[in-house]
Amino acid sequence: MSDVIVVGAGVVGAACAYYAARAGLDVTVIDRGPVAGGTTGSGEGNVLVSDKEPGPELELAVLSNRLWRSLAELGGFEFEAKGGLVVAETDDVRRQLTELAGKQDLEHTLVPATGLRDYEPHLADDLAGGVFYPQDAQVQPMLAAAALLRHGADSYGHGTLRLRLGVTVTGFIRSGDRLTGVRTSQGDVLGDAVVNAAGTWGGEVAAMAGVRLPVLPRRGFILVTEPLREPLIRHKVYTAAYVTNVASDSAGLETSAVVEGTPAGTVLIGASRERVGFDRTTSVPVLARLAEQAVALFPALRDVRAIRSYCGFRPYCPDHLPVIGADPRVRGLYHACGHEGAGIGLAPATGHLLAQLLAGRRPDLDLLPFRPDRFAEEAA
Amino acid sequence: MTYDLVVVGGGPAGVAGALTAALAGLRVALVDSGLRLGGQYFRHTQDAGQHPGHAPALDRFLRQAGALGTRAEVLLRHQVWSVSREPDGDLLVHCATRAAAVTGTAVAGAAVIGGAPTGALGERAVVLRTRRLLIATGAHDRPLPFPGWDLPGVLTAGGAQALLKGGGVPAGRRIVVSGTGPFLLPVATGLAEAGVRVLGVYEANGGLGLARHPLLALGKAGEAAGYAAALARHRVPYRTRQAVVAAHGEHEVEAVTVARLDKDWNVLSTRVVECDAVAVGYGFVPQVELGTQLGCATRPDVDGSPVLRVDATLRTTVPGVWAAGEPVGVGGWRLAELEGRLAGRAVVADARPTLVTSTTRTTRTSTATPPPGDTAVVPGVFARRHQRWRAFGEALQRAYPVQPGWQGWLRDDTLVCRCEEVPLARLREARSLGATDARSVKLLARPGMGWCQGRVCGYAVSCLAGEPQPQPPRRPIAQPVTLGALASLATPEPTADADATADATAGAAPGEPHDDHPAH
Amino acid sequence: MSFHITVDGRPVPVTPGQTIGAALHAAGVRAWRTTRFGGRPRGLFCGIGVCFDCLISVNGRPPERACLLEAQPGDEVTTA
């Protein structure tokens, strides 16, 4: 018998489990696969504040950014405070970026065209300028998720944070109108509360509990280059189009250049967005566009070889906000999913706030914008 | 403009398949990454290619390769990095190359979409459009890690063989050959006949010695006797239940530890042998990633390796895609050549209806199930020979399994992944962090994330991750491609030029009614 | 018929059709790069373009596989 069952051992589930254990709760984490086997294992590890419009998601991101820094002190993964450089191709876009930066209330530096190469010596020379955000960072998402689970277990007792991998949740157990556990491929697991941290598959888990949660996959490809001897790119660099694409409602293919180096020496190149269900088939046209945009930004990448690519499925909701909080439709059911492409960045705040809720405390941030039943209202 | 068939791989399977189809009048291109046709078995020096008169099998292959060159487009030094399906059903074969554009063969320029060379490497993207694909990509050695296996001078058995056959260079002067399988024998005899000292052949399996070699039981007495005689002539000891379990040296290999093993390959006793080179191999890994890119189903081979599932006509589970040779099951060059011919015949049978009904695209017959009347495609005599040789290949694999004791040869600091320099200890750490399979071990500890994409360490990582057998590979980019060449594909080629080229060359293809799609 | 390439300025003979890797091996040069983390020496391993251990820079170009790359007269090879 656990206080909390967390469905999903991705980074969000790991953060929920870690903070719940820290709040004194007994937690069982269940995943049908390994740790970080879903979207967490298919991302770049973005911890971004720069790409968010002012509002509840930005507040969540700022809180999360602070929490990631302290979590990294636990060890097991590295918090790379590399900073993000958003670049504008035209003066018009540069003005828009400047305007956004003015509203966000984040630490930032406006970078004129002539100053871009002080940040990134290999940038193309026809750019109009940009904005540098020192708080933007990166973590290795799989290691980070695994580290949170391990710290949770090590610090608060392996009996307090139990990890059940390769176990598939097949349904819920109820007592009256209240959830009292989950049915799994390996028997029943009882618990007072169930946290749906199933990411892109969160809608399916919700459906098992009889509630609608419109979490859908938005596919993205990432190109990985050969490891470079000398780092070519210092920060996370992306074009302004990324901000618009993130917020876009288009189902069609959208790509924008997001380029960064990693400690392993490789360069990661994103980002594409398209709604094609869970289709893993590699799209050469998408890879070609990612390459074209990256080369346009960093001409020196022309001779660098792509050696791998991978794709993942961002869990997106129609309003691009995550779902965090208790589900008023089913007692005992909580959600922590639907973070789209920002799950790594938003995970600690999500876990922290949800743990406060589970422990009967008032969350540090208002969870109203993230409430699980908001879509039903819209439909009505 | 579209090829009737593109063959990937210029070894015995690929050349036989391409030639069979080209002789029947199909428009064929064959793509290979090497400098010359031949693959691994028929690898030869440039000189040998120009002056035939060596081994009969090689001479025959070279004649086939020569015949192919006049009837099909042969693109050497082209690395296929992706194959993909177009909405109209055609397949695109994406290559990267630094070779100059080829002109002047029978179907020059047909259906080739190419970008301009880019960057300091001068690499170009080349895209072949085709109705059908034959995957004849062969296999590579399956090494097992051991302490010191990354020292220069330690090569795979196939690597030592390639160096000798393709470059005329022995890997060292005092060589130890180790591993398991019949392939160790030609490697050792080849080196001995090249005049270098082979200090020993250490076969981890087979407690019975060369006199009871499984080749004998399988009706290959002549072949086994030939190797035995050659090894005896050069006084090369052949030791079973022994293996190299460590290599030593500062900058290069200077000595190895040879161990006596029990039947599970646990070390019983060891001794040190001084040498300057090691050739080591534990069977083969079929290269199937082009098939898995297209969604072809796989099955575990006798040794558990994922291979492409095919029917009696070598058709995969994906329409329009055939496979032959090691990618459908390790079995050697004779089997590969036969399968190439059978696949070629099946492709011709598939293409003929298309060719005679050029106006109706709906008659294209590539379906997931083989057409009725397979005996017309694969006559009984071939089918029986195919089954016999396939059974022989499987029997050999059964005789030389990899036993789990090798994991005990490793130390905590032994590199498992050479590319990302991941030692055993980090793999163990990944498992303790919640990795439950090879993929999650890779995500947490990076083995297989480097240049070779796990081709070298994949088998070992799968075993060390506790998987019952390796999962089919996921390699969306099968070969490195420069971002410049990849970016050149982002702008669609103007179709007008491509069609003009296609129309100009169509007339040159004799007696070949063809079936252009609407411009795309 | 044979020609030379230079390896760190030193002439190395090549038989026509030989790869850079084969020519280096024949000349007794068996390691020509070091790994990026451990600084371990590397040369030919798989010999057939699979393992990428044998990456080498020729004429100042980005690294390529020595086992696949045909040596050309006048090639200048630098080892690291």
Side-chain angles (χ1 to χ4, degrees):
Chain A
M1 180 79 192
S2 296
D3 298 317
V4 183
I5 297 165
V6 177
V7 182
V11 71
V12 172
C16 289
Y18 171 80
Y19 284 106
R22 206 179 72 162
L25 302 170
D26 275 356
V27 188
T28 300
V29 180
I30 302 177
D31 198 292
R32 62 182 171 183
V35 164
T39 307
T40 299
S42 314
E44 295 158 294
N46 287 334
V47 181
L48 297 189
V49 289
S50 59
D51 65 336
K52 293 176 180 61
E53 300 274 349
E57 196 190 4
L58 182 56
E59 288 174 39
L60 201 61
V62 170
L63 170 62
S64 230
N65 195 282
R66 203 176 69 226
L67 294 173
W68 265 129
R69 286 164 203 267
S70 51
L71 288 173
E73 286 164 16
L74 300 171
F77 69 97
E78 200 184 333
F79 182 87
E80 287 179 80
K82 54 164 68 166
L85 181 65
V86 193
V87 296
E89 293 98 331
T90 64
D91 278 327
D92 213 29
V93 173
R94 186 179 52 80
R95 271 190 295 276
Q96 289 169 27
L97 285 179
T98 306
E99 198 181 318
L100 176 65
K103 291 189 296 186
Q104 282 169 320
D105 193 25
L106 296 168
E107 212 181 309
H108 68 273
T109 309
L110 299 179
V111 184
T114 51
L116 283 174
R117 288 211 174 133
D118 296 338
Y119 287 87
E120 289 293 343
H122 296 282
L123 269 176
D125 53 14
D126 53 354
L127 297 160
V131 184
F132 179 69
Y133 291 87
Q135 283 167 285
D136 279 356
Q138 189 175 28
V139 296
Q140 206 275 33
M142 293 74 80
L143 277 181
L148 289 186
L149 288 168
R150 166 163 289 183
H151 289 308
D154 287 354
S155 306
Y156 309 108
H158 287 268
T160 300
L161 199 165
R162 277 177 296 264
L163 193 53
R164 305 270 318 265
L165 299 173
V167 175
T168 306
V169 171
T170 56
F172 288 93
I173 308 166
R174 290 161 191 273
S175 168
D177 63 346
R178 181 170 186 90
L179 296 185
T180 55
V182 295
R183 302 202 184 284
T184 79
S185 56
Q186 292 180 33
D188 293 351
V189 179
L190 300 180
D192 277 335
V194 179
V195 177
N196 171 16
T200 315
W201 297 269
E204 293 171 31
V205 171
M208 281 192 256
V211 292
R212 192 179 87 91
L213 202 65
V215 183
L216 290 167
R218 200 175 182 188
R219 184 173 74 177
F221 283 102
I222 292 174
L223 273 173
V224 188
T225 71
E226 64 189 292
L228 304 178
R229 282 250 164 201
E230 302 296 330
L232 197 68
I233 296 157
R234 302 172 180 174
H235 308 95
K236 180 172 197 78
V237 182
Y238 65 91
T239 53
Y242 180 70
V243 183
T244 20
N245 284 356
V246 167
S248 148
D249 288 322
S250 166
L253 171 66
E254 296 173 314
T255 59
S256 52
V258 182
V259 186
E260 64 196 309
T262 69
T266 58
V267 177
L268 301 183
I269 298 168
S272 69
R273 287 166 192 272
E274 52 191 326
R275 295 188 210 153
V276 290
F278 286 103
D279 183 0
R280 285 200 169 272
T281 313
T282 298
S283 164
V284 173
V286 174
L287 299 186
R289 267 171 72 172
L290 293 180
E292 183 186 41
Q293 292 171 341
V295 167
L297 211 49
F298 291 99
L301 287 175
R302 192 169 292 279
D303 270 316
V304 171
R305 279 157 288 208
I307 63 169
R308 288 191 289 123
S309 78
Y310 54 94
C311 78
F313 301 98
R314 304 177 184 91
Y316 89 93
C317 295
D319 59 3
H320 304 287
L321 290 180
V323 183
I324 306 168
D327 194 321
R329 299 165 294 183
V330 182
R331 283 176 63 204
L333 179 63
Y334 296 75
H335 299 286
C337 58
H339 294 72
E340 196 156 343
I344 311 302
L346 301 180
T350 301
H352 169 71
L353 296 171
L354 203 76
Q356 289 183 316
L357 208 59
L358 288 164
R361 289 204 289 272
R362 184 189 159 86
D364 290 343
L365 285 182
D366 181 11
L367 290 176
L368 194 68
F370 311 116
R371 68 194 181 281
D373 56 337
R374 64 187 194 265
F375 309 103
E377 292 164 22
E378 282 162 20
Chain B
M1 267 304 286
T2 302
Y3 282 107
D4 296 313
L5 173 67
V6 167
V7 179
V8 184
V15 167
L19 188 58
T20 304
L23 286 171
L26 267 57
R27 213 159 29 208
V28 178
L30 182 144
V31 191
D32 191 271
S33 62
L35 300 173
R36 294 176 277 281
L37 291 176
Q40 303 318 325
Y41 188 80
F42 290 123
R43 186 180 290 274
H44 53 278
T45 59
Q46 182 171 304
D47 185 58
Q50 286 162 351
H51 306 97
H54 306 268
L58 177 59
D59 280 346
R60 190 166 70 111
F61 176 83
L62 292 173
R63 280 198 302 277
Q64 287 178 11
L68 184 66
T70 63
R71 288 175 176 82
E73 187 111 49
V74 177
L75 300 170
L76 296 170
R77 297 169 60 200
H78 281 58
Q79 314 263 351
V80 176
W81 64 270
S82 168
V83 285
S84 60
R85 174 81 69 183
E86 287 286 274
D88 65 7
D90 281 353
L91 297 158
L92 295 184
V93 180
H94 293 274
C95 317
T97 186
R98 290 186 48 223
V102 181
T103 53
T105 56
V107 285
V112 177
I113 307 158
T118 71
L121 275 172
E123 185 175 270
R124 288 182 302 131
V126 173
V127 186
L128 309 179
R129 178 181 277 271
T130 182
R131 289 287 154 72
R132 297 167 201 83
L133 178 71
L134 172 56
I135 297 169
T137 40
H140 57 78
D141 283 84
R142 178 166 62 196
L144 293 176
F146 54 85
W149 73 307
D150 67 328
L151 281 170
V154 179
L155 278 77
T156 65
Q161 182 85 323
L163 188 57
L164 185 62
K165 278 180 162 183
V169 181
R173 284 186 292 273
R174 294 167 55 80
I175 302 184
V176 166
V177 178
S178 179
T180 192
F183 181 56
L184 300 181
L185 297 173
V187 172
T189 53
L191 287 166
E193 278 161 7
V196 298
R197 182 84 200 282
V198 179
L199 300 170
V201 179
Y202 301 106
E203 162 62 64
N205 272 305
L208 301 170
L210 204 51
R212 304 282 289 278
H213 197 279
L215 282 171
L216 297 171
L218 293 161
K220 294 277 168 183
E223 192 174 328
Y227 291 134
L231 293 180
R233 195 161 59 244
H234 296 283
R235 288 198 280 278
V236 177
Y238 179 87
R239 302 278 179 264
T240 55
R241 289 271 168 83
Q242 295 192 22
V244 169
V245 297
H248 316 283
E250 191 68 27
H251 303 289
E252 299 191 343
V253 62
E254 292 160 13
V256 292
T257 297
V258 174
R260 280 201 313 115
L261 306 173
D262 70 12
K263 67 176 175 22
D264 294 323
W265 297 11
N266 299 306
V267 173
L268 299 175
S269 63
T270 65
R271 67 186 188 281
V272 171
V273 175
E274 286 183 16
C275 63
D276 66 359
V278 184
V280 62
Y282 288 88
F284 297 94
V285 179
Q287 308 211 76
V288 299
E289 57 264 351
L290 297 184
T292 52
Q293 280 183 0
L294 286 167
C296 296
T298 61
R299 66 173 178 90
D301 203 358
V302 173
D303 66 351
S305 297
V307 292
L308 300 176
R309 189 188 293 272
V310 289
D311 65 15
T313 71
L314 284 308
R315 189 199 295 259
T316 68
T317 56
V318 168
V321 182
W322 282 259
E326 318 300 50
V328 308
V330 169
W333 74 271
R334 286 182 193 84
L335 177 61
E337 189 198 77
L338 175 64
E339 288 183 337
R341 278 164 66 196
L342 297 181
R345 291 172 68 102
V347 165
V348 171
D350 184 71
R352 281 240 163 83
T354 327
L355 291 173
V356 290
T357 55
S358 61
T359 49
T360 45
R361 299 230 5 246
T362 49
T363 56
R364 290 172 54 183
T365 56
S366 296
T367 54
T369 50
D374 261 353
T375 50
V377 179
V378 183
V381 59
F382 285 144
R384 285 189 293 280
R385 192 193 300 172
H386 184 205
Q387 283 165 13
R388 202 163 61 238
W389 288 357
R390 181 52 74 197
F392 170 69
E394 289 173 359
L396 272 187
Q397 281 193 62
R398 263 186 216 100
Y400 296 97
V402 172
Q403 301 291 358
W406 66 267
Q407 296 183 27
W409 309 346
L410 276 53
R411 299 189 313 237
D412 276 358
D413 63 351
T414 303
L415 294 187
V416 175
C417 169
R418 303 163 68 97
C419 299
E420 295 298 302
E421 300 170 68
V422 184
L424 178 65
R426 292 239 308 275
L427 267 72
R428 293 211 174 112
E429 170 73 6
R431 288 195 75 179
S432 78
L433 279 172
T436 57
D437 57 8
R439 177 174 175 266
S440 46
V441 166
K442 171 176 151 178
L443 289 176
L444 286 170
R446 297 191 64 79
M449 282 235 185
W451 270 109
C452 89
Q453 290 198 68
R455 286 180 174 87
V456 173
C457 70
Y459 178 79
V461 172
S462 174
C463 294
L464 293 166
E467 291 183 334
Q469 60 203 26
Q471 296 301 301
R474 254 198 236 163
R475 296 191 184 104
I477 297 181
Q479 290 288 327
V481 54
T482 58
L483 290 168
L486 186 49
S488 76
L489 298 170
T491 317
E493 284 293 302
T495 51
D497 287 356
D499 281 356
T501 317
D503 290 345
T505 53
E512 214 179 86
H514 59 95
D515 46 330
D516 284 303
H517 295 177
H520 37 226
Chain C
M1 275 300 282
S2 71
F3 57 88
H4 284 77
I5 60 174
T6 62
V7 179
D8 299 329
R10 190 163 69 87
V12 162
V14 177
T15 310
Q18 255 180 351
T19 62
I20 297 269
L24 289 176
H25 242 260
V29 181
R30 302 203 298 176
W32 46 80
R33 77 166 173 105
T34 50
T35 60
R36 59 194 205 282
F37 300 121
R40 306 269 297 170
R42 292 286 165 86
L44 291 180
F45 178 63
C46 84
I48 61 170
V50 170
C51 75
F52 293 84
D53 264 9
C54 67
L55 289 170
I56 197 163
S57 177
V58 179
N59 301 329
R61 293 191 303 255
E64 297 167 83
R65 285 168 277 187
C67 69
L68 293 183
L69 188 62
E70 186 170 3
Q72 303 293 337
D75 274 349
E76 291 178 13
V77 172
T78 41
T79 69

